[in-house]
Amino acid sequence: MAMKDEALPLSLDGRSRNPTTQVPTINYTGRAEADIRRSPNEGIGACGWALVILSYFLMIITLPFSLFLTIKVVQEYERAVILRLGRILPGGAKGPGLFFILPCVDTIVKVDLRTATFNVPPQEVLTRDSVTVSVDAVVYSRVFNPIISVTNVKNTQYATQLLAQTSLRNILGTKTLQEILSDRETIAHSMQVHLDEGTDPWGVKVERVEIKDVRLPVSMQRSMAAEAEASREARAKVIAAEGEQKASRSLKEAADIISESPIALQLRYLQTLTHISAEKNSTIIFPIPVLLRNQNFELSYDALSDWITNNSNIFHIESKNDQCCTSINGMYHLVSPVNGTGSIQTDNFIVSGLGWMDFLIAGSANPDLCRLELVLTENNIVIYSESGPGLWPSSSGNSKPSWRHTRKFWNVSSYLGKTVYLRLIDYSTDGFIAIDDIHTEVSHLDILFNIRYLNYRPLYHFSPDTMWMNDPNGLVYYDQEYHLFFQHYPYDKKAMNIHWGHAVSKDLITWTQLPIALPPEDAVAGIWSGSAFVDWNNASGFQKNHNTKPLIAIYTHQKHGHQEQHMAYSNDRGRTWTKYVNNPILPMHSIDSKSTEENDNILTLVHPVFRDPKVFYHYETESWILVVSGGTHVKFYRSDNLVNWKLMSEWGKEHYSKTHPGVWECPDLFKMETEQDKNVWVLIISINRNSVSGGSGMQYFVGTFDGVQFTLNSKSLNTSLWLDYGPDYYAGITYSDIPHYDNRRIMISWMNNWLYGRDLPTSVWCGQMGIPRSLKLYIDHYTNSYRLSQQPVIELYHYQRKLISFHRQMIHQGSNLLENILGVTYIITASFNLNTSIFNCQTCELGFQFRKSSENMKEYKEYTTIRYVPYNNTIYFDRSQSGETRFHSGFRTNYNITLDDEVFDKGLLKFQILVDRLSVELFINDGKYAFTALIFPDFNSQNMALFTNGADVMIDYADILLL
């Protein structure tokens, strides 16, 4: 066959050829027998003959050494395909045995005929019924035609693997989830047939395919498990109901007999006492119910059968109407009049279930005079006490008496099995208290599926399964997993002796919570904030498995106010941890900075501060760097082995009074690049109070770092840069060991504020993380300084279930472009084209409203507002009507951000708004400004609005992504 080469007018055999002649596709599947039996040197041309003769000559003159190159051994399970000058020798594949080849002109390719196996990596597949599953398989194949396996495909094994991956995805995409779970053998057979047909031209026979595992998303597993549990419970209840029905008939017959003679009941009572006395014990029987009856007061005819009045009959059952109490459950609630005093209590009942109680409460915020108490029967000690929420802002903007109920949650797990009772007290002559919908026994199904417990549970932000959470710790990426460690107290919704909680994710959005990673050694110590990273070169010496790199955690150990840095390591991808035997690695020496207390706006240092280490590898100096907070400054340490650390420098004391009138915490230092400068370092620090929005917040500084000291850049001197202008963004740090091909700087923060963070009105948990953000550094030409921009990670957009778009529309005053859209969790991206005249209009504004209540809600209106006033170029955020705002006096409701002149110059204003069940995150002008705030609306407040006042506004686009 002639070789096509435009530079040669002749082929290798000397014959002329037509340059336009196409080379046919090589296919040896149906090669004629005559072609196989042709002479070994047939068709090789004059040049070929010359090379063959030369090869023989060289072989003869170099005997016996040439025998090592000319004799080849082919094993029993192999076949050899020999090519002479690129042409297959006649006779087909050779072997097994010894074979002679000519050096330089012959090429031998050995083909293994044994059955080979390979694993098909897990494939993410969207099934026909729109469920995402991950499926992997194993394929068994062998080569049945060595010649075409060499001539028709470059690498049979690799080609078969790629074909298996695509075939698995294509076949599973046509199946429903039920078919995938129940018909694995059918799917495996279909895949085998499909692969066998596809690999036949390659000389490969696919003998068998097996589906190994089908993995469902964790939320789907939980839903299916809950559905199965509910089905089992339903069947059990049916059986129990049938038994109760039969028992009821018998009891009815007994009751009818007893009713004919009242003395029979007394005789039965005496018979029971006789039976007890015969057992020779001192048992006393009290009629104690396990649960309260009529817990929602809907059985009005028997509403107070479980309650005992104490010298008062003021408490009564009241129904709701259009002017009052639309927030109660059902039609009735228990209430005291405004001018009455007294108390009422329930019968005794036993604490059961998971150890949670919840109820609706309204009325005066006066715990001394109006309250609901949970009392331990054995000693009459009050376990819990709750007063009403106080005044509530009405839709007119004025506060009114709080007939609106708020749901409260009590953790009574420490009293499981104990006998208790509820007591409702009203000793106020001008106040009142009301309760409704009491739940004294809570199940797993309630926590997982009941809206009482899910009302504020975020959908796409991480929150712990139960109990307290604050700062993110140890953000590290390893082996295709994002690790999120976090400050966690697993026994209550308050911050006590802190543990390290642990969760992992494949995409930063869906998280799986794992067991506690690092617990403290006793009830006094605490495992405070720190960092984690991969020890790639085993500098610590902790590595045990060659294939698994150790994860290192360096954190603050706190006990009795004494803070020092400890280390722990993991050799199983972070699943279990071992504390370093020679801790501490960095003890507290003479510390001149202390934590603070604020009295009359005067900051006083009272406790030593030496906490929150962040560790990273500094390639320029080939050493490890540890940056840690000293309260009024940060300290930089260096180490070669992660055990012995040397103080290199301190920074920040000179900026204390200028930039942070609070304690610095959770520092993070990392390198970033701009188009103009490839060596810029960013120092991120959290401040525990007196931030730009009040309470806690985050600052950052831009400069250089040489492995010894940090120096502010000239474009950042005397500048206090805020990472987020909202009240609920704190303690953020960035991920370690993000792969170079990704090259993102990803940050996660605690979405809360220390002013009120311990009192959030959530159910069985307290605390959530902000959305993971991707950071970029740029030079702002309007301020001539470095700035960080922030955007939600792109993985979030993979979870959209519906997209609604508007393009190039004029928004008229009084209209609402979004009035027909309902949603609880969604993303809005919008761009406004503002004309010059609007910036001179003092009454003009535009904006959004989220989580709005419906128009038929007459008693209270709910909404959260973001509005832009062009005249002063300011964004205003208002959560005063966002729902529950009365849980803490420090929960501010109004904020603003003044933008730079970019909006004036370009006439463009861009919004990116993330709304979850209890939060709003705002990114302005491609993340140039960020704002994060918590909100606590009713679940049924699902309306939204896009409005303008004072002028019509052109919107370039508005995309609503429902999640």
Side-chain angles (χ1 to χ4, degrees):
M1 181 180 295
M3 297 178 58
K4 186 174 181 180
D5 187 341
E6 297 297 328
L8 296 176
L10 296 177
S11 62
L12 288 177
D13 59 1
R15 293 174 293 181
S16 63
R17 58 180 177 84
N18 187 347
T20 63
T21 301
Q22 296 187 2
V23 179
T25 302
I26 302 174
N27 188 346
Y28 291 96
T29 306
R31 178 186 291 269
E33 183 178 354
D35 191 32
I36 295 293
R37 293 177 178 176
R38 57 180 167 73
S39 171
N41 300 316
E42 180 183 348
I44 62 176
C47 294
W49 275 108
L51 291 175
V52 170
I53 295 172
L54 179 60
S55 180
Y56 273 112
F57 177 73
L58 292 175
M59 181 196 68
I60 293 171
I61 64 174
T62 57
L63 283 173
F65 302 104
S66 60
L67 293 178
F68 293 102
L69 300 177
T70 58
I71 303 299
K72 298 295 180 181
V73 178
V74 178
Q75 304 292 341
E76 182 69 30
Y77 52 83
E78 293 179 328
R79 295 296 182 269
V81 178
I82 302 175
L83 297 94
R84 177 162 295 173
L85 295 177
R87 299 169 64 88
I88 295 178
L89 291 182
K94 315 294 184 181
L98 293 176
F99 292 92
F100 173 82
I101 64 170
L102 284 176
C104 303
V105 297
D106 286 355
T107 303
I108 183 171
V109 180
K110 295 181 181 180
V111 179
D112 196 324
L113 301 183
R114 292 176 294 182
T115 298
T117 63
F118 61 84
N119 291 315
V120 180
Q123 303 295 306
E124 293 282 348
V125 180
L126 185 65
T127 64
R128 195 174 66 189
D129 49 354
S130 301
V131 177
T132 302
V133 297
S134 178
V135 182
D136 54 3
V138 60
V139 177
Y140 301 82
S141 64
R142 62 178 176 83
V143 175
F144 71 88
N145 191 325
I147 292 180
I148 62 175
S149 72
V150 172
T151 57
N152 282 13
V153 64
K154 182 176 182 180
N155 187 326
T156 56
Q157 184 81 351
Y158 182 64
T160 306
Q161 288 182 14
L162 292 182
L163 182 60
Q165 294 180 29
T166 57
S167 299
L168 181 59
R169 287 197 296 268
N170 293 337
I171 292 174
L172 294 179
T174 64
K175 305 291 184 180
T176 64
L177 177 61
Q178 183 63 32
E179 291 172 341
I180 293 175
L181 295 176
S182 60
D183 297 334
R184 292 193 183 190
E185 293 184 0
T186 303
I187 295 173
H189 179 70
S190 300
M191 186 175 172
Q192 177 190 352
V193 173
H194 187 273
L195 285 175
D196 200 30
E197 293 176 354
T199 58
D200 187 70
W202 304 338
V204 176
K205 171 68 176 178
V206 177
E207 296 180 326
R208 188 177 183 85
V209 175
E210 292 291 342
I211 303 296
K212 291 176 61 179
D213 192 15
V214 179
R215 287 181 291 275
L216 302 177
V218 175
S219 58
M220 176 68 71
Q221 295 178 27
R222 292 178 177 174
S223 299
M224 295 177 69
E227 181 182 5
E229 182 180 355
S231 178
R232 289 192 297 270
E233 289 187 358
R235 288 196 298 271
K237 288 181 179 179
V238 170
I239 296 172
E242 292 174 351
E244 289 179 359
Q245 185 181 30
K246 295 177 181 179
S248 298
R249 292 194 184 101
S250 300
L251 288 173
K252 181 180 180 299
E253 294 176 2
D256 291 339
I257 295 173
I258 292 176
S259 64
E260 294 176 358
S261 176
I263 195 64
L265 182 60
Q266 297 297 325
L267 291 174
R268 178 59 179 162
Y269 179 69
L270 292 174
Q271 182 184 13
T272 302
L273 291 179
T274 302
H275 178 72
I276 293 173
S277 62
E279 296 178 356
K280 297 180 180 180
N281 54 38
S282 57
T283 302
I284 300 176
I285 298 178
F286 290 95
I288 301 176
V290 175
L291 296 175
L292 290 178
R293 297 168 293 174
N294 195 20
Q295 298 185 27
N296 57 8
F297 306 106
E298 295 304 300
L299 300 178
S300 57
Y301 63 88
D302 193 26
L304 296 179
S305 60
D306 289 332
W307 295 78
I308 305 169
T309 59
N310 298 323
N311 303 322
S312 174
N313 292 318
I314 65 168
F315 291 92
H316 62 281
I317 303 300
E318 185 176 282
S319 64
K320 67 180 178 182
N321 51 55
D322 289 341
Q323 285 74 40
C324 166
C325 315
T326 57
S327 59
I328 70 176
N329 184 52
M331 285 298 299
Y332 302 95
H333 65 154
L334 177 61
V335 63
S336 67
V338 174
N339 57 355
T341 62
S343 66
I344 187 173
Q345 70 184 53
T346 67
D347 290 337
N348 293 322
F349 62 93
I350 297 175
V351 178
S352 57
L354 294 181
W356 287 92
M357 292 178 57
D358 64 274
F359 52 89
L360 292 172
I361 189 168
S364 305
N366 189 341
D368 294 331
L369 299 178
C370 298
R371 61 187 181 272
L372 175 67
E373 297 176 338
L374 181 66
V375 185
L376 197 61
T377 302
E378 61 187 32
N379 51 20
N380 289 321
I381 292 178
V382 177
I383 304 172
Y384 280 99
S385 178
E386 191 72 52
S387 63
L391 297 178
W392 186 273
S394 68
S395 56
S396 63
N398 299 318
S399 296
K400 58 193 301 185
S402 181
W403 284 105
R404 175 160 182 168
H405 292 67
T406 297
R407 187 167 295 280
K408 297 294 184 179
F409 302 87
W410 286 345
N411 176 15
V412 293
S413 57
S414 300
Y415 303 94
L416 282 171
K418 298 289 186 179
T419 304
V420 296
Y421 63 89
L422 291 170
R423 180 166 59 202
L424 190 62
I425 296 174
D426 182 1
Y427 293 138
S428 171
T429 57
D430 58 355
F432 72 95
I433 191 166
I435 59 172
D436 187 28
D437 198 33
I438 304 169
H439 295 267
T440 58
E441 182 180 38
V442 175
S443 68
H444 283 287
L445 290 178
D446 286 322
I447 292 177
L448 290 176
F449 299 106
N450 197 296
I451 193 59
R452 304 193 326 269
Y453 286 84
L454 296 181
N455 186 22
Y456 300 140
R457 175 70 78 174
L459 178 66
Y460 56 90
H461 293 78
F462 175 76
S463 62
D465 293 339
T466 58
M467 305 307 176
W468 172 262
M469 179 189 76
N470 56 291
D471 306 358
N473 301 143
L475 304 185
V476 60
Y477 180 87
Y478 179 65
D479 195 19
Q480 302 182 2
E481 281 185 332
Y482 295 94
H483 292 262
L484 167 60
F485 300 92
F486 52 92
Q487 297 284 274
H488 184 42
Y489 183 62
Y491 307 113
D492 204 348
K493 289 172 58 180
K494 304 292 185 182
M496 303 292 284
N497 61 317
I498 292 297
H499 303 50
W500 263 31
H502 188 197
V504 294
S505 174
K506 294 290 187 182
D507 61 2
L508 292 166
I509 305 300
T510 300
W511 296 90
T512 300
Q513 187 167 337
L514 300 178
I516 296 295
L518 291 172
E521 67 273 16
D522 54 42
V524 180
I527 308 296
W528 283 14
S529 292
S531 57
F533 49 91
V534 183
D535 185 7
W536 294 104
N537 296 318
N538 196 25
S540 62
F542 294 145
Q543 184 172 355
K544 294 182 179 180
N545 187 338
H546 177 72
N547 297 322
T548 304
K549 300 298 181 181
L551 296 182
I552 307 296
I554 295 182
Y555 56 90
T556 297
H557 179 275
Q558 188 279 150
K559 192 169 185 177
H560 300 302
H562 185 80
Q563 301 169 11
E564 54 191 17
Q565 314 317 312
H566 284 207
M567 179 166 59
Y569 58 92
S570 170
N571 279 302
D572 57 0
R573 300 168 54 246
R575 268 49 182 183
T576 59
W577 290 80
T578 303
K579 295 178 181 178
Y580 180 47
V581 67
N582 292 322
N583 278 327
I585 59 170
L586 196 54
M588 176 180 283
H589 300 295
S590 59
I591 303 298
D592 54 358
S593 296
K594 302 182 179 182
S595 62
T596 62
E597 290 182 355
E598 187 174 11
N599 298 304
D600 299 327
N601 296 322
I602 299 175
L603 217 57
T604 306
L605 302 177
V606 295
H607 297 298
V609 174
F610 186 54
R611 58 177 180 255
D612 311 332
K614 179 63 185 289
V615 178
F616 64 93
Y617 189 75
H618 190 250
Y619 288 94
E620 291 79 358
T621 59
E622 298 182 348
S623 60
W624 295 93
I625 301 296
L626 183 150
V627 54
V628 65
S629 171
T632 61
H633 59 284
V634 294
K635 298 173 178 288
F636 299 97
Y637 291 82
R638 180 191 290 179
S639 173
D640 295 325
N641 57 9
L642 295 171
V643 175
N644 302 309
W645 294 89
K646 179 181 179 182
L647 177 64
M648 305 305 295
S649 65
E650 299 178 349
W651 183 86
K653 292 181 180 179
E654 66 276 16
H655 298 278
Y656 181 78
S657 60
K658 298 178 182 179
T659 62
H660 62 106
V663 173
W664 270 357
E665 297 182 315
C666 304
D668 191 2
L669 179 66
F670 49 86
K671 184 179 180 180
M672 300 199 77
E673 297 181 355
T674 67
E675 294 180 356
Q676 295 80 9
D677 196 340
K678 304 299 183 182
N679 186 28
V680 184
W681 289 79
V682 178
L683 177 64
I684 289 181
I685 300 175
S686 294
I687 178 173
N688 71 344
R689 64 187 68 197
N690 298 321
S691 72
V692 65
S693 59
S696 45
M698 292 188 67
Q699 295 176 291
Y700 68 96
F701 302 88
V702 182
T704 59
F705 182 71
D706 59 2
V708 175
Q709 62 184 5
F710 178 79
T711 304
L712 269 183
N713 188 281
S714 59
K715 295 182 179 181
S716 300
L717 292 176
N718 301 318
T719 301
S720 179
L721 303 175
W722 295 100
L723 200 64
D724 192 286
Y725 289 84
D728 298 306
Y729 198 80
Y730 188 67
I733 56 175
T734 63
Y735 265 92
S736 298
D737 300 285
I738 296 292
H740 292 295
Y741 61 79
D742 188 329
N743 202 32
R744 288 180 295 176
R745 178 61 60 175
I746 300 173
M747 180 176 66
I748 295 181
S749 75
W750 182 42
M751 189 185 288
N752 210 337
N753 193 307
W754 279 119
L755 280 178
Y756 46 78
R758 300 175 178 88
D759 299 304
L760 301 185
T762 50
S763 58
V764 298
W765 87 99
C766 186
Q768 73 169 33
M769 295 301 177
I771 198 70
R773 301 180 181 181
S774 179
L775 307 181
K776 289 186 178 180
L777 187 69
Y778 69 99
I779 296 180
D780 184 7
H781 299 291
Y782 292 91
T783 60
N784 193 32
S785 61
Y786 286 111
R787 290 290 188 271
L788 282 176
S789 67
Q790 307 167 65
Q791 290 286 338
V793 292
I794 194 65
E795 288 87 344
L796 174 61
Y797 293 89
H798 298 162
Y799 286 82
Q800 78 171 56
R801 60 181 176 85
K802 187 176 182 180
L803 172 64
I804 304 171
S805 297
F806 303 92
H807 294 277
R808 300 296 298 173
Q809 293 198 28
M810 184 66 71
I811 310 300
H812 300 286
Q813 301 179 61
S815 65
N816 178 14
L817 191 65
L818 311 180
E819 62 180 347
N820 296 321
I821 305 175
L822 298 178
V824 174
T825 57
Y826 47 87
I827 302 172
I828 293 181
T829 57
S831 176
F832 295 92
N833 194 335
L834 306 177
N835 56 46
T836 306
S837 62
I838 198 172
F839 295 106
N840 299 319
C841 174
Q842 298 187 23
T843 61
C844 294
E845 64 177 6
L846 59 92
F848 297 88
Q849 287 184 338
F850 313 104
R851 301 302 305 273
K852 288 186 60 180
S853 55
S854 60
E855 295 298 327
N856 58 8
M857 179 66 73
K858 298 179 181 180
E859 185 182 0
Y860 301 101
K861 297 293 184 183
E862 281 188 355
Y863 50 82
T864 300
T865 304
I866 295 174
R867 61 189 181 94
Y868 171 68
V869 178
Y871 185 77
N872 57 11
N873 197 27
T874 301
I875 300 286
Y876 294 89
F877 182 90
D878 182 359
R879 60 180 178 181
S880 60
Q881 297 289 135
S882 61
E884 179 56 72
T885 60
R886 305 164 297 173
F887 60 89
H888 195 280
S889 59
F891 190 74
R892 273 182 54 193
T893 57
N894 289 277
Y895 303 89
N896 62 79
I897 313 170
T898 300
L899 309 182
D900 59 30
D901 293 339
E902 181 182 11
V903 180
F904 288 143
D905 293 347
K906 297 182 179 179
L908 287 176
L909 179 62
K910 297 180 181 179
F911 288 102
Q912 188 176 18
I913 307 167
L914 279 59
V915 180
D916 207 341
R917 288 174 179 163
L918 81 163
S919 63
V920 175
E921 291 169 283
L922 169 64
F923 302 90
I924 305 169
N925 288 346
D926 300 318
K928 192 173 187 178
Y929 301 88
F931 184 95
T932 303
L934 295 174
I935 57 174
F936 299 96
D938 186 88
F939 185 80
N940 294 317
S941 297
Q942 300 185 16
N943 294 69
M944 62 185 79
L946 169 57
F947 65 89
T948 178
N949 294 317
D952 297 341
V953 176
M954 172 64 71
I955 186 169
D956 289 332
Y957 62 84
D959 294 332
I960 298 90
L961 289 77
L962 302 180
L963 302 177

